[in-house]
Amino acid sequence: MHAQSLDAAVDALSRRRIMLVLFVGVFMAALDTAVVAPAVPALRQAFGVDNSQIGMITIIFSLATLSSTTLMAGLGDRYGRRPVYLFCVTGFALGSLIIAMAPSFAMLLVGRAIQGFASGGVTPTASAMVGDAFPREERGKALGMLGATFGMAFLLGPLVASLILLVLSWQWIFLINLPVAAVVIWLGLRNLPGKQLAANPAPLDWAGVSVVAVMLTSLVLGINRVLDNALGLMLWPALLGLALLCIPLLIMVERRAASPVVPLHLFYSRQLRLTYILCCGAGFGMGSVIYIASVAVAGLGIAAEQAGLLLLPLVIASSAGSVLFGRLLNTLGSRLIMLIGFGTTGLGSALLGLTETAGLWIFLPASMLIGLGVGIIVGGTLRTIVLNEVNLEERGAAQGLVNVGISVGNLLVVATLGVIADAWGGGMAGLAIAYFASAVCMGVMFLLSLGLKSHGEELATALATSEASSGA
C-alpha cells in the first residue's frame, strides 16, 4: 500500500527549504564537471600521464554515472527519495576526498568512479522529489531552476577552478565539495520529507540493473573507442552490437521482474516514448556546445586560450532560458516550449556555420541562440512531461531514463560532429558542415515535438495522474 502524494502536505515554506537542499546538491554535482577541465594540465603534471590517459577521467565518470542512474532511481522509488539523495551526496563527497588524497592516477580514477556513481542518482532523485513535494503548477518553475544549475556551473566552474589553482593546489578543486556536501546533508536531514513509499518493497531487480549497466557501458566504450585505442584493436563494432543485443535481453528480464528497474509500460505511452527520444535530441544539442570554442578559433582567429570568454553570452542565455521557460511552462504548455527550444537551437546551429563569412556579428547571436535553446530543452520541460505521465511510485525510474537519454545524446554528438568535421577537412569548413548536421538533427526533433500532447490534454493527464497517486 503506497502512501499518499506529498503535494498537498508540503507548505510553501517547506517547499522553499526543500528546493534549497536540492538546488545546492545538484549544483555541486554539476559544478564538478565544469571545474575538471581547467585542472587537466595540473593533473597531467602531478601524475605524469598523457592526453589519452587523462581522458579516462571523463570516460570513467560517464560510465559510472550511466551505470548507477537506473539503480539509484529504483532505490528511491522503493525506499524513499531522502535517504537515496543524501547517500548520493555523501558518496560524491567521498569520491572527492579520494581524488584529492590519491597517491596514484589509478586511485584518482577510483575516486572519479565513486563520484560518477553517486552523481548518477543526484539529479533524477532531486527531480522526482520535486514531483513529490511541489504542486503541478509549480513543478516547471522548480525544475527550470534545477536545469539552470548546469548553465551556472558552466559559467562559474572555470573561474572557480582558475582561482583555486592560482591560490592553492588542484586538490582543493575537489576538497571544496566536502563542506558543501556537509551542508546539504545537514539541511537535508532537517528539511527533506522522509516518508517511505512502500511498507514491503519488492526485491530490487538486480538482473535488470546488470543488463542496463552492460548495455550502457558497451555503448559508451563503443562510441568513445577507448578500448580500441588502449588495446590497438577494432572493438567498437562488437561493443555497439552487444549494446543492441542487450535491448531484447532487457525486455525479457523486465517482463519477468516483480518490480522492474525499467518499467516497460513506460514505453507503451506515446507521450513518454516521444519524450525519451527528445531527451536524446536534447543531449545532442547540449553536447554540440563543445565545438563552439573551436569555431571561434577557426572562424574568427581568436587565440585558443581566449576563446572560452566568447562563450559567456551563451552560458548566460542558457541559464536565463531554463529559468524563464520553466516559469512559462504552465502558460504555454510543453509542446510549444519544446518547439521553441529545438527551433532556436537549430537556427543557432545553422547560423554558426556562417562565422567565417560574417564574423563576430553572426557568431555571438548564433551562439546565444544555441545557449537559449539548450537551456529550454534541457531545463525542466522534459522532466515535467514525465512527472505528468507517471504515478508516484515510478517517478524516480522515469526521471532516471531522462538522464540516460540526455547522456546518450551527449555521447553521440561528440562522436558524430567530430567525425563529420574531420571528414570535411577539419577547420572552419568542416565545423560549418558539422553544425549544419546538428541543425538538421534539431529540425527532426522539432518535427517530433509536434506529436506531443496539446496543453489541454497535458493538463487533463496531469490531473488524472495526481488523483491516482493521491488515492493509491
PDB file of all heavy atoms in Angstrom, residues 20-26 28 85-86 89-90 122 177-192:
ATOM      1  N   LEU A  20      16.042  24.539  -1.736  1.00  0.00           N
ATOM      2  CA  LEU A  20      17.407  24.953  -1.423  1.00  0.00           C
ATOM      3  C   LEU A  20      18.331  23.736  -1.336  1.00  0.00           C
ATOM      4  O   LEU A  20      19.435  23.734  -1.899  1.00  0.00           O
ATOM      5  CB  LEU A  20      17.430  25.732  -0.105  1.00  0.00           C
ATOM      6  CG  LEU A  20      18.826  26.125   0.418  1.00  0.00           C
ATOM      7  CD1 LEU A  20      19.517  27.077  -0.551  1.00  0.00           C
ATOM      8  CD2 LEU A  20      18.717  26.753   1.807  1.00  0.00           C
ATOM      9  N   VAL A  21      17.881  22.690  -0.624  1.00  0.00           N
ATOM     10  CA  VAL A  21      18.691  21.480  -0.470  1.00  0.00           C
ATOM     11  C   VAL A  21      18.945  20.828  -1.826  1.00  0.00           C
ATOM     12  O   VAL A  21      20.069  20.427  -2.146  1.00  0.00           O
ATOM     13  CB  VAL A  21      17.997  20.486   0.482  1.00  0.00           C
ATOM     14  CG1 VAL A  21      18.826  19.210   0.611  1.00  0.00           C
ATOM     15  CG2 VAL A  21      17.786  21.108   1.853  1.00  0.00           C
ATOM     16  N   LEU A  22      17.899  20.721  -2.642  1.00  0.00           N
ATOM     17  CA  LEU A  22      18.043  20.083  -3.947  1.00  0.00           C
ATOM     18  C   LEU A  22      18.930  20.905  -4.873  1.00  0.00           C
ATOM     19  O   LEU A  22      19.783  20.363  -5.583  1.00  0.00           O
ATOM     20  CB  LEU A  22      16.659  19.875  -4.586  1.00  0.00           C
ATOM     21  CG  LEU A  22      15.669  19.023  -3.796  1.00  0.00           C
ATOM     22  CD1 LEU A  22      14.362  18.893  -4.564  1.00  0.00           C
ATOM     23  CD2 LEU A  22      16.251  17.655  -3.487  1.00  0.00           C
ATOM     24  N   PHE A  23      18.736  22.221  -4.854  1.00  0.00           N
ATOM     25  CA  PHE A  23      19.499  23.100  -5.743  1.00  0.00           C
ATOM     26  C   PHE A  23      20.992  23.019  -5.437  1.00  0.00           C
ATOM     27  O   PHE A  23      21.817  22.869  -6.346  1.00  0.00           O
ATOM     28  CB  PHE A  23      19.009  24.543  -5.602  1.00  0.00           C
ATOM     29  CG  PHE A  23      19.716  25.523  -6.495  1.00  0.00           C
ATOM     30  CD1 PHE A  23      19.252  25.763  -7.780  1.00  0.00           C
ATOM     31  CD2 PHE A  23      20.841  26.213  -6.059  1.00  0.00           C
ATOM     32  CE1 PHE A  23      19.896  26.657  -8.605  1.00  0.00           C
ATOM     33  CE2 PHE A  23      21.496  27.108  -6.886  1.00  0.00           C
ATOM     34  CZ  PHE A  23      21.016  27.326  -8.163  1.00  0.00           C
ATOM     35  N   VAL A  24      21.360  23.098  -4.166  1.00  0.00           N
ATOM     36  CA  VAL A  24      22.773  23.092  -3.803  1.00  0.00           C
ATOM     37  C   VAL A  24      23.406  21.742  -4.156  1.00  0.00           C
ATOM     38  O   VAL A  24      24.533  21.684  -4.662  1.00  0.00           O
ATOM     39  CB  VAL A  24      22.959  23.408  -2.307  1.00  0.00           C
ATOM     40  CG1 VAL A  24      24.422  23.283  -1.907  1.00  0.00           C
ATOM     41  CG2 VAL A  24      22.450  24.813  -1.992  1.00  0.00           C
ATOM     42  N   GLY A  25      22.695  20.650  -3.899  1.00  0.00           N
ATOM     43  CA  GLY A  25      23.238  19.338  -4.218  1.00  0.00           C
ATOM     44  C   GLY A  25      23.445  19.129  -5.705  1.00  0.00           C
ATOM     45  O   GLY A  25      24.506  18.649  -6.140  1.00  0.00           O
ATOM     46  N   VAL A  26      22.451  19.496  -6.516  1.00  0.00           N
ATOM     47  CA  VAL A  26      22.566  19.360  -7.970  1.00  0.00           C
ATOM     48  C   VAL A  26      23.649  20.288  -8.507  1.00  0.00           C
ATOM     49  O   VAL A  26      24.430  19.917  -9.392  1.00  0.00           O
ATOM     50  CB  VAL A  26      21.208  19.642  -8.645  1.00  0.00           C
ATOM     51  CG1 VAL A  26      21.354  19.674 -10.167  1.00  0.00           C
ATOM     52  CG2 VAL A  26      20.193  18.574  -8.259  1.00  0.00           C
ATOM     53  N   MET A  28      26.316  21.318  -6.917  1.00  0.00           N
ATOM     54  CA  MET A  28      27.625  20.764  -6.556  1.00  0.00           C
ATOM     55  C   MET A  28      28.057  19.720  -7.589  1.00  0.00           C
ATOM     56  O   MET A  28      29.202  19.724  -8.052  1.00  0.00           O
ATOM     57  CB  MET A  28      27.563  20.129  -5.168  1.00  0.00           C
ATOM     58  CG  MET A  28      28.865  19.481  -4.727  1.00  0.00           C
ATOM     59  SD  MET A  28      28.734  18.586  -3.145  1.00  0.00           S
ATOM     60  CE  MET A  28      27.692  17.202  -3.640  1.00  0.00           C
ATOM     61  N   TYR A  85      18.994  10.314  -1.943  1.00  0.00           N
ATOM     62  CA  TYR A  85      19.614  11.598  -2.302  1.00  0.00           C
ATOM     63  C   TYR A  85      20.797  11.898  -1.392  1.00  0.00           C
ATOM     64  O   TYR A  85      21.892  12.261  -1.859  1.00  0.00           O
ATOM     65  CB  TYR A  85      18.569  12.708  -2.202  1.00  0.00           C
ATOM     66  CG  TYR A  85      19.078  14.088  -2.580  1.00  0.00           C
ATOM     67  CD1 TYR A  85      19.283  14.420  -3.907  1.00  0.00           C
ATOM     68  CD2 TYR A  85      19.350  15.036  -1.601  1.00  0.00           C
ATOM     69  CE1 TYR A  85      19.750  15.678  -4.259  1.00  0.00           C
ATOM     70  CE2 TYR A  85      19.816  16.301  -1.937  1.00  0.00           C
ATOM     71  CZ  TYR A  85      20.006  16.611  -3.274  1.00  0.00           C
ATOM     72  OH  TYR A  85      20.478  17.863  -3.612  1.00  0.00           O
ATOM     73  N   LEU A  86      20.611  11.728  -0.089  1.00  0.00           N
ATOM     74  CA  LEU A  86      21.695  12.018   0.858  1.00  0.00           C
ATOM     75  C   LEU A  86      22.827  11.001   0.740  1.00  0.00           C
ATOM     76  O   LEU A  86      24.006  11.347   0.925  1.00  0.00           O
ATOM     77  CB  LEU A  86      21.147  12.054   2.282  1.00  0.00           C
ATOM     78  CG  LEU A  86      20.116  13.155   2.564  1.00  0.00           C
ATOM     79  CD1 LEU A  86      19.663  13.115   4.017  1.00  0.00           C
ATOM     80  CD2 LEU A  86      20.678  14.529   2.220  1.00  0.00           C
ATOM     81  N   VAL A  89      24.849  12.233  -2.242  1.00  0.00           N
ATOM     82  CA  VAL A  89      25.656  13.405  -1.879  1.00  0.00           C
ATOM     83  C   VAL A  89      26.862  12.971  -1.043  1.00  0.00           C
ATOM     84  O   VAL A  89      27.988  13.448  -1.246  1.00  0.00           O
ATOM     85  CB  VAL A  89      24.799  14.433  -1.114  1.00  0.00           C
ATOM     86  CG1 VAL A  89      25.668  15.550  -0.548  1.00  0.00           C
ATOM     87  CG2 VAL A  89      23.732  15.023  -2.042  1.00  0.00           C
ATOM     88  N   THR A  90      26.640  12.042  -0.106  1.00  0.00           N
ATOM     89  CA  THR A  90      27.741  11.535   0.714  1.00  0.00           C
ATOM     90  C   THR A  90      28.773  10.809  -0.147  1.00  0.00           C
ATOM     91  O   THR A  90      29.994  10.984   0.021  1.00  0.00           O
ATOM     92  CB  THR A  90      27.198  10.572   1.791  1.00  0.00           C
ATOM     93  OG1 THR A  90      26.230  11.253   2.590  1.00  0.00           O
ATOM     94  CG2 THR A  90      28.321  10.070   2.684  1.00  0.00           C
ATOM     95  N   VAL A 122      21.890  11.854  -8.195  1.00  0.00           N
ATOM     96  CA  VAL A 122      21.564  13.165  -7.626  1.00  0.00           C
ATOM     97  C   VAL A 122      20.429  13.853  -8.389  1.00  0.00           C
ATOM     98  O   VAL A 122      19.380  14.185  -7.810  1.00  0.00           O
ATOM     99  CB  VAL A 122      22.819  14.068  -7.597  1.00  0.00           C
ATOM    100  CG1 VAL A 122      22.437  15.491  -7.191  1.00  0.00           C
ATOM    101  CG2 VAL A 122      23.844  13.516  -6.618  1.00  0.00           C
ATOM    102  N   ASN A 177      34.237  20.326  -2.259  1.00  0.00           N
ATOM    103  CA  ASN A 177      32.949  19.623  -2.243  1.00  0.00           C
ATOM    104  C   ASN A 177      32.579  19.125  -0.851  1.00  0.00           C
ATOM    105  O   ASN A 177      31.396  18.921  -0.554  1.00  0.00           O
ATOM    106  CB  ASN A 177      32.986  18.422  -3.196  1.00  0.00           C
ATOM    107  CG  ASN A 177      33.037  18.839  -4.656  1.00  0.00           C
ATOM    108  OD1 ASN A 177      32.476  19.864  -5.025  1.00  0.00           O
ATOM    109  ND2 ASN A 177      33.697  18.047  -5.473  1.00  0.00           N
ATOM    110  N   LEU A 178      33.574  18.908   0.024  1.00  0.00           N
ATOM    111  CA  LEU A 178      33.294  18.313   1.333  1.00  0.00           C
ATOM    112  C   LEU A 178      32.442  19.206   2.230  1.00  0.00           C
ATOM    113  O   LEU A 178      31.411  18.753   2.749  1.00  0.00           O
ATOM    114  CB  LEU A 178      34.606  17.926   2.034  1.00  0.00           C
ATOM    115  CG  LEU A 178      35.143  16.535   1.716  1.00  0.00           C
ATOM    116  CD1 LEU A 178      35.463  16.358   0.241  1.00  0.00           C
ATOM    117  CD2 LEU A 178      36.379  16.228   2.558  1.00  0.00           C
ATOM    118  N   PRO A 179      32.802  20.481   2.429  1.00  0.00           N
ATOM    119  CA  PRO A 179      31.919  21.321   3.257  1.00  0.00           C
ATOM    120  C   PRO A 179      30.557  21.557   2.604  1.00  0.00           C
ATOM    121  O   PRO A 179      29.543  21.651   3.310  1.00  0.00           O
ATOM    122  CB  PRO A 179      32.710  22.629   3.410  1.00  0.00           C
ATOM    123  CG  PRO A 179      33.712  22.625   2.306  1.00  0.00           C
ATOM    124  CD  PRO A 179      34.044  21.194   2.071  1.00  0.00           C
ATOM    125  N   VAL A 180      30.530  21.653   1.269  1.00  0.00           N
ATOM    126  CA  VAL A 180      29.243  21.835   0.589  1.00  0.00           C
ATOM    127  C   VAL A 180      28.349  20.624   0.828  1.00  0.00           C
ATOM    128  O   VAL A 180      27.158  20.751   1.153  1.00  0.00           O
ATOM    129  CB  VAL A 180      29.454  22.057  -0.927  1.00  0.00           C
ATOM    130  CG1 VAL A 180      28.112  22.143  -1.644  1.00  0.00           C
ATOM    131  CG2 VAL A 180      30.261  23.323  -1.175  1.00  0.00           C
ATOM    132  N   ALA A 181      28.920  19.420   0.686  1.00  0.00           N
ATOM    133  CA  ALA A 181      28.147  18.200   0.921  1.00  0.00           C
ATOM    134  C   ALA A 181      27.669  18.121   2.361  1.00  0.00           C
ATOM    135  O   ALA A 181      26.536  17.681   2.635  1.00  0.00           O
ATOM    136  CB  ALA A 181      28.996  16.978   0.568  1.00  0.00           C
ATOM    137  N   ALA A 182      28.519  18.542   3.304  1.00  0.00           N
ATOM    138  CA  ALA A 182      28.134  18.505   4.720  1.00  0.00           C
ATOM    139  C   ALA A 182      26.924  19.400   4.978  1.00  0.00           C
ATOM    140  O   ALA A 182      25.998  19.024   5.721  1.00  0.00           O
ATOM    141  CB  ALA A 182      29.311  18.941   5.591  1.00  0.00           C
ATOM    142  N   VAL A 183      26.901  20.578   4.345  1.00  0.00           N
ATOM    143  CA  VAL A 183      25.755  21.490   4.492  1.00  0.00           C
ATOM    144  C   VAL A 183      24.503  20.874   3.888  1.00  0.00           C
ATOM    145  O   VAL A 183      23.413  20.938   4.479  1.00  0.00           O
ATOM    146  CB  VAL A 183      26.079  22.853   3.838  1.00  0.00           C
ATOM    147  CG1 VAL A 183      24.826  23.720   3.779  1.00  0.00           C
ATOM    148  CG2 VAL A 183      27.182  23.568   4.598  1.00  0.00           C
ATOM    149  N   VAL A 184      24.633  20.259   2.712  1.00  0.00           N
ATOM    150  CA  VAL A 184      23.482  19.632   2.053  1.00  0.00           C
ATOM    151  C   VAL A 184      22.925  18.512   2.928  1.00  0.00           C
ATOM    152  O   VAL A 184      21.703  18.377   3.095  1.00  0.00           O
ATOM    153  CB  VAL A 184      23.883  19.086   0.664  1.00  0.00           C
ATOM    154  CG1 VAL A 184      22.745  18.255   0.065  1.00  0.00           C
ATOM    155  CG2 VAL A 184      24.238  20.227  -0.272  1.00  0.00           C
ATOM    156  N   ILE A 185      23.808  17.684   3.490  1.00  0.00           N
ATOM    157  CA  ILE A 185      23.351  16.571   4.333  1.00  0.00           C
ATOM    158  C   ILE A 185      22.649  17.097   5.586  1.00  0.00           C
ATOM    159  O   ILE A 185      21.576  16.607   5.965  1.00  0.00           O
ATOM    160  CB  ILE A 185      24.550  15.678   4.710  1.00  0.00           C
ATOM    161  CG1 ILE A 185      25.098  14.983   3.454  1.00  0.00           C
ATOM    162  CG2 ILE A 185      24.144  14.643   5.762  1.00  0.00           C
ATOM    163  CD1 ILE A 185      26.444  14.329   3.662  1.00  0.00           C
ATOM    164  N   TRP A 186      23.230  18.108   6.225  1.00  0.00           N
ATOM    165  CA  TRP A 186      22.621  18.678   7.433  1.00  0.00           C
ATOM    166  C   TRP A 186      21.250  19.281   7.125  1.00  0.00           C
ATOM    167  O   TRP A 186      20.263  19.006   7.825  1.00  0.00           O
ATOM    168  CB  TRP A 186      23.557  19.733   8.020  1.00  0.00           C
ATOM    169  CG  TRP A 186      23.023  20.382   9.265  1.00  0.00           C
ATOM    170  CD1 TRP A 186      22.874  19.809  10.504  1.00  0.00           C
ATOM    171  CD2 TRP A 186      22.552  21.723   9.397  1.00  0.00           C
ATOM    172  NE1 TRP A 186      22.346  20.712  11.394  1.00  0.00           N
ATOM    173  CE2 TRP A 186      22.137  21.895  10.748  1.00  0.00           C
ATOM    174  CE3 TRP A 186      22.454  22.804   8.514  1.00  0.00           C
ATOM    175  CZ2 TRP A 186      21.625  23.096  11.213  1.00  0.00           C
ATOM    176  CZ3 TRP A 186      21.942  24.006   8.996  1.00  0.00           C
ATOM    177  CH2 TRP A 186      21.530  24.140  10.326  1.00  0.00           C
ATOM    178  N   LEU A 187      21.180  20.080   6.060  1.00  0.00           N
ATOM    179  CA  LEU A 187      19.901  20.682   5.691  1.00  0.00           C
ATOM    180  C   LEU A 187      18.906  19.623   5.220  1.00  0.00           C
ATOM    181  O   LEU A 187      17.699  19.725   5.479  1.00  0.00           O
ATOM    182  CB  LEU A 187      20.114  21.725   4.586  1.00  0.00           C
ATOM    183  CG  LEU A 187      20.839  23.008   4.981  1.00  0.00           C
ATOM    184  CD1 LEU A 187      21.083  23.883   3.752  1.00  0.00           C
ATOM    185  CD2 LEU A 187      20.038  23.786   6.017  1.00  0.00           C
ATOM    186  N   GLY A 188      19.414  18.609   4.522  1.00  0.00           N
ATOM    187  CA  GLY A 188      18.532  17.562   4.018  1.00  0.00           C
ATOM    188  C   GLY A 188      17.891  16.759   5.130  1.00  0.00           C
ATOM    189  O   GLY A 188      16.690  16.430   5.063  1.00  0.00           O
ATOM    190  N   LEU A 189      18.659  16.435   6.161  1.00  0.00           N
ATOM    191  CA  LEU A 189      18.100  15.691   7.295  1.00  0.00           C
ATOM    192  C   LEU A 189      17.024  16.494   8.004  1.00  0.00           C
ATOM    193  O   LEU A 189      16.083  15.930   8.588  1.00  0.00           O
ATOM    194  CB  LEU A 189      19.223  15.324   8.276  1.00  0.00           C
ATOM    195  CG  LEU A 189      20.208  14.252   7.781  1.00  0.00           C
ATOM    196  CD1 LEU A 189      21.379  14.139   8.745  1.00  0.00           C
ATOM    197  CD2 LEU A 189      19.517  12.914   7.601  1.00  0.00           C
ATOM    198  N   ARG A 190      17.133  17.800   7.978  1.00  0.00           N
ATOM    199  CA  ARG A 190      16.171  18.674   8.656  1.00  0.00           C
ATOM    200  C   ARG A 190      14.948  18.995   7.807  1.00  0.00           C
ATOM    201  O   ARG A 190      13.858  19.220   8.352  1.00  0.00           O
ATOM    202  CB  ARG A 190      16.849  19.982   9.064  1.00  0.00           C
ATOM    203  CG  ARG A 190      17.912  19.823  10.136  1.00  0.00           C
ATOM    204  CD  ARG A 190      18.735  21.095  10.288  1.00  0.00           C
ATOM    205  NE  ARG A 190      17.915  22.246  10.634  1.00  0.00           N
ATOM    206  CZ  ARG A 190      17.630  22.639  11.869  1.00  0.00           C
ATOM    207  NH1 ARG A 190      18.123  21.962  12.898  1.00  0.00           N
ATOM    208  NH2 ARG A 190      16.894  23.704  12.098  1.00  0.00           N
ATOM    209  N   ASN A 191      15.111  19.031   6.486  1.00  0.00           N
ATOM    210  CA  ASN A 191      14.056  19.605   5.645  1.00  0.00           C
ATOM    211  C   ASN A 191      13.457  18.679   4.601  1.00  0.00           C
ATOM    212  O   ASN A 191      12.320  18.906   4.166  1.00  0.00           O
ATOM    213  CB  ASN A 191      14.596  20.852   4.926  1.00  0.00           C
ATOM    214  CG  ASN A 191      14.991  21.952   5.888  1.00  0.00           C
ATOM    215  OD1 ASN A 191      14.168  22.475   6.634  1.00  0.00           O
ATOM    216  ND2 ASN A 191      16.270  22.314   5.894  1.00  0.00           N
ATOM    217  N   LEU A 192      14.184  17.671   4.151  1.00  0.00           N
ATOM    218  CA  LEU A 192      13.628  16.806   3.104  1.00  0.00           C
ATOM    219  C   LEU A 192      12.612  15.843   3.697  1.00  0.00           C
ATOM    220  O   LEU A 192      12.843  15.289   4.779  1.00  0.00           O
ATOM    221  CB  LEU A 192      14.741  16.013   2.415  1.00  0.00           C
ATOM    222  CG  LEU A 192      15.753  16.812   1.604  1.00  0.00           C
ATOM    223  CD1 LEU A 192      16.775  15.874   0.970  1.00  0.00           C
ATOM    224  CD2 LEU A 192      15.067  17.647   0.528  1.00  0.00           C
TER     225      LEU A 192
END
